[in-house]
Amino acid sequence: MASVRGTPPGLRTLSGYRRAWLAKDVVAGVVLTTLLVPQGMAYAELAGLPPITGLYTSVLCLLAYAVFGPSRILVLGPDSSLGPMIAATVLPLVVADGDPERAVALASMLALMVGAITLLAGVAKLGFIADLISKPTMIGYMNGLALTILIGQLPKLFGFSTDADGLLEEIADFATGLADGKTVPAALAVGAGGIVLVLAVQRWLAKVPAVLVMVVLAMAASAVFDLGEHDVKLVGELPEGLPPFTIPDIRFDDLAPLFIGALGIALVSLADTISNASAFAARTGQQVRGSDEMVAIGSANLAAGLFQGFPVSTSGSRTAVAERAGAKSQITGVVGALLIVLMLVFVPGLFRSLPQPALAAVVITASLSLADFAGTRRLWRQRKAEFLLSVAAFLGVALLGVLPGIAIAVGLSILNVFRRAWWPYNAVLGRVPGLEGYHDIRSYPEAGRLPGLVILRFDAPLFFANAKSFRGEVMRLARDEPQPRWILIAAEPITDVDTTAADVLEELDRTLNELGISLVFAELKDPVRRKVERYELTRTIDPDHFFPTVEAAVTAYRAGADTEWSVAESSAGGEPDRTA
């Protein structure tokens, strides 16, 4: 493959294309388009943009990913999880009269920034960035996002609009609108009926394109009952043709808030892309190349941003539709893009009678799929601390907003890692009859211990944040009665010792020596041992008190102390003999 080493991944994948795949890819592309069009328009409105921009975005990102994307069937496009983030970034910068052209320019620049961030991250092999959000905090974030989307779409579902900013204000304004009689019955019938229809079809006729069925029936109802004359807002005529190549025209002072929003969007897009790519690669036998996916996502966002589009991500639901329809390659996405282009050129008025409440129904049903109630319940049952992290992320999104919510989610994930290293698990070890090695006496109360010897395992690297915690635990054991002669550290989990921890160890060893207690280490990794020697800790800690294994240290202690495991403990699991 040397001849194609410099070829973009998507084209390299297509170099092995089989003619037998073409019919399946074309059929899958047609099926996919029935989902791309209504969702593209709906998610554009969710982002506070004209519906046509969702179609422009879909075309450009599908074509770009077909060239640069390493996955055979992953589908990119406007996404329900990014819509509120785009709106939260763009709408505060739009002038008071809500100029749609300025909103599109800001969203396009946002896409260019997201593209640049993800492209540079991919080139720099920074795929690990997607791991900054832990699963519990992502569950909470997505639950909060689902609620935010749902509440934000309710006024449109009921046929009116609000100018609220923030979840609580949106709830209040929606309730006020209901109380003031702003509900449009025909709009509510279309929207609520659309939600019920989509959920029912997805539940009982999974292979039928639920969104397409609902959209077609909504347009039919609009024509039959002349819903436009009954105060139901319609999509209207879409602009004819394709968008021109455009450099977004924005003000200099817009760049900083756009960049902050772009960082959050890029992080969510990457996390979503890596997780979806991993899930679908496992089914097709492909390997996930995180950095290549980042480059592809970046390229797709750049392409969308240069043609009046907005930031995109992968879609698990659309990818699943393509997979079920028989997609074999990115030709499926290319077919979908070409069909949208044909629609814009030849039949731009195809969706002019589509009621806006039907688009709200599309968004609401998508938001319901974002919520993970089962995952939340599992966290409650399995680990309360991570459940609380999830709740905190949920409240951050719901009460503070989408962008602060993603910052809180990332911050909580990082703090959770730090918390585990700050207060790591530690255990006193003993010998268990019938089991090799030494084990936690909390789990095995019958474990035997040699008189005068305490074996402590500290399950974290030793660094500035937990060094005093380590010292406190050792000193607590040193004050036990009867006083130990050796405190043996089973150091295999200690993967690092920083300079702060080295100073604490030096002071701790002096204190223990004054008490007649030796601080001893076993199973210290070679790189950590070299750091200990570089810190000159062996000036105070006896070099002979470093052992390759816990067993070797125990043997040395027994030889010096002339003590044995008790017969009762070693054979029947009784208490060890306390006599030397």
Side-chain angles (χ1 to χ4, degrees), residues 45-102:
E45 292 211 330
L46 177 62
L49 302 168
I52 187 64
T53 59
L55 302 184
Y56 295 161
T57 301
S58 298
V59 170
L60 270 302
C61 73
L62 287 172
L63 294 178
Y65 192 83
V67 175
F68 296 100
S71 172
R72 289 181 181 175
I73 63 170
L74 213 59
V75 177
L76 269 65
D79 189 67
S80 58
S81 64
L82 298 189
M85 300 182 74
I86 298 169
T89 304
V90 168
L91 295 187
L93 303 177
V94 179
V95 292
D97 59 359
D99 180 7
E101 291 185 4
R102 175 164 164 73

Side-chain angles (χ1 to χ4, degrees), residues 131-422:
D131 298 330
L132 286 178
I133 309 180
S134 67
K135 184 65 178 292
T137 48
M138 180 59 89
I139 288 174
Y141 172 77
M142 286 299 181
N143 286 342
L145 195 62
L147 180 62
T148 299
I149 294 173
L150 175 63
I151 298 300
Q153 292 296 305
L154 285 179
K156 186 185 295 185
L157 191 73
F158 280 70
F160 61 93
S161 60
T162 67
D163 295 323
D165 182 20
L167 182 67
L168 298 180
E169 189 177 336
E170 286 178 342
I171 293 173
D173 282 13
F174 174 64
T176 300
L178 291 181
D180 292 344
K182 292 183 178 180
T183 301
V184 177
L188 178 59
V190 170
I195 293 174
V196 172
L197 180 61
V198 169
L199 294 178
V201 172
Q202 288 177 342
R203 175 70 173 82
W204 288 293
L205 300 170
K207 293 186 177 181
V208 175
V211 171
L212 176 63
V213 172
M214 186 272 290
V215 165
V216 170
L217 291 178
M219 290 192 297
S222 177
V224 172
F225 298 105
D226 197 10
L227 296 180
E229 296 298 319
H230 291 81
D231 298 324
V232 177
K233 295 180 181 179
L234 307 178
V235 168
E237 192 87 17
L238 296 176
E240 183 177 348
L242 302 176
F245 176 88
T246 307
I247 301 296
D249 183 17
I250 63 169
R251 297 194 294 260
F252 180 78
D253 55 1
D254 293 330
L255 293 177
L258 284 176
F259 182 72
I260 293 173
L263 288 175
I265 292 170
L267 183 58
V268 172
S269 177
L270 290 176
D272 200 27
T273 297
I274 297 299
S275 62
N276 279 318
S278 300
F280 286 97
R283 300 183 191 180
T284 59
Q286 287 185 284
Q287 289 185 338
V288 175
R289 300 190 295 273
S291 296
D292 285 352
E293 289 290 359
M294 295 170 81
V295 170
I297 290 290
S299 302
N301 276 287
L302 289 175
L306 292 173
F307 289 88
Q308 300 182 21
F310 52 86
V312 298
S313 180
T314 57
S315 168
S317 62
R318 290 192 288 273
T319 303
V321 167
E323 183 186 47
R324 287 197 302 266
K328 296 297 182 182
S329 74
Q330 285 299 324
I331 292 296
T332 294
V334 173
V335 170
L338 292 178
L339 289 176
I340 295 174
V341 169
L342 292 175
M343 185 198 76
L344 292 175
V345 172
F346 296 108
V347 281
L350 182 62
F351 289 93
R352 65 174 165 291
S353 62
L354 177 62
Q356 293 279 5
L359 292 181
V362 173
V363 173
I364 288 174
T365 53
S367 73
L368 296 177
S369 67
L370 294 177
D372 189 354
F373 301 116
T376 304
R377 288 194 299 270
R378 181 171 58 83
L379 291 176
W380 170 257
R381 292 194 309 268
Q382 296 178 352
R383 193 173 180 121
K384 297 296 191 294
E386 295 196 344
F387 170 79
L388 293 176
L389 285 175
S390 179
V391 170
F394 168 80
L395 293 175
V397 176
L399 300 180
L400 300 180
V402 176
L403 292 178
I406 189 62
I408 289 172
V410 173
L412 288 174
S413 296
I414 295 173
L415 285 175
N416 191 36
V417 173
F418 190 71
R419 177 188 64 83
R420 293 177 183 178
W422 192 358

